[in-house]
Amino acid sequence: DVMRWLFAAAPPATNLNFGFGPGHEVVRRFFLPLWNTYAFLVTYARVDGWLPQTDAPASRGTLLDRWIRSRLDGLVGEWDVTMTHAWFLESLDTEIHGSATFEWLADAFLVMRSHWEDGSTQEFVFGRNDAREGFVAFSHDDRGVYRVFDMTFAAGEWTLLREDPDFHQRIALRIQPDRLEMQADASEDAGQTWRKDLDYFFERRRG
């Protein structure tokens, strides 16, 4: 096992010197912590009488889908939000402040509700489209406008995209542990050119 791990963990293009020193290092840094962790779990599971569930429902979606859902789970909570760089405000430096909450609905949809100091509201619902094997986002605001976005993830960034007859809209989301940045662009020529629409900055509330 030590040799298997040593060779599996080594970069293929790097020469590997095998001996007692590297072998002992693998045991010390990997196998001993693994064994101690496993022994700890087994010992206290027996004391507590715990048994693994054998009738747990199978996980839905692919491994990537479950990973995406785990990332969405990190958004749950309350946030302070700032809207800025919006073309429809008095200037690009004008800021509108508000709040937002993320919460799961029936363990299937992530719902974002935002309220702004000017009295406006907006909601997003994130969920999975089984037929297309992907994620989608639905949005609604107090003007009565409903929109549907396709949702993808690549290079550490979420992208929400809609390509509707009125205009195209693209929203890039960058998620950090306590900060969320949303940058929205719009296109009136079917995606040939894009202009800045607005930016959102979310800061997680503490306490």
Side-chain angles (χ1 to χ4, degrees):
D1 290 335
V2 172
M3 291 183 63
R4 291 192 189 99
W5 181 259
L6 185 63
F7 283 108
T14 302
N15 291 330
L16 179 62
N17 296 321
F18 180 79
F20 290 107
H24 285 306
E25 188 69 8
V26 169
V27 171
R28 184 183 67 84
R29 299 184 60 181
F30 178 75
F31 283 99
L32 284 180
L34 175 63
W35 171 255
N36 289 334
T37 302
Y38 179 76
F40 179 89
L41 172 63
V42 171
T43 299
Y44 286 93
R46 287 174 176 171
V47 170
D48 194 53
W50 176 84
L51 293 174
Q53 295 183 3
T54 58
D55 57 349
S59 299
R60 297 180 57 199
T62 65
L63 180 62
L64 178 60
D65 291 336
R66 296 196 296 273
W67 180 82
I68 291 175
R69 191 183 185 284
S70 70
R71 292 297 301 271
L72 290 176
D73 194 51
L75 298 177
V76 172
E78 298 182 351
W79 303 73
D80 293 316
V81 192
T82 300
M83 177 199 301
T84 187
H85 303 148
W87 64 272
F88 51 83
L89 297 178
E90 293 182 0
S91 74
L92 294 179
D93 295 328
T94 301
E95 294 184 351
I96 295 182
H97 301 278
S99 62
T101 59
F102 288 84
E103 59 184 354
W104 285 105
L105 174 63
D107 199 35
F109 304 100
L110 183 67
V111 181
M112 184 199 83
R113 296 182 176 90
S114 59
H115 300 268
W116 301 93
E117 59 186 358
D118 62 359
S120 60
T121 61
Q122 186 178 29
E123 295 83 29
F124 270 90
V125 178
F126 305 91
R128 189 177 190 276
N129 184 338
D130 286 341
R132 299 178 61 178
E133 296 186 349
F135 283 79
V136 293
F138 301 85
S139 76
H140 167 262
D141 59 37
D142 58 286
R143 300 170 300 168
V145 176
Y146 296 82
R147 291 168 178 159
V148 182
F149 296 81
D150 290 322
M151 186 172 164
T152 58
F153 181 83
E157 181 176 280
W158 299 97
T159 300
L160 276 62
L161 179 66
R162 73 177 188 93
E163 299 176 335
D164 295 328
D166 55 348
F167 67 97
H168 291 193
Q169 197 169 13
R170 179 179 62 199
I171 303 176
L173 297 92
R174 300 178 182 87
I175 300 175
Q176 304 175 27
D178 296 313
R179 181 176 173 85
L180 172 63
E181 299 177 359
M182 298 177 61
Q183 298 179 345
D185 299 321
S187 172
E188 282 85 15
D189 56 8
Q192 296 184 35
T193 59
W194 293 85
R195 62 165 173 80
K196 167 68 71 176
D197 197 4
L198 54 88
D199 290 335
Y200 293 120
F201 297 96
F202 295 70
E203 298 287 345
R204 187 183 296 276
R205 286 185 177 178
R206 293 300 185 182

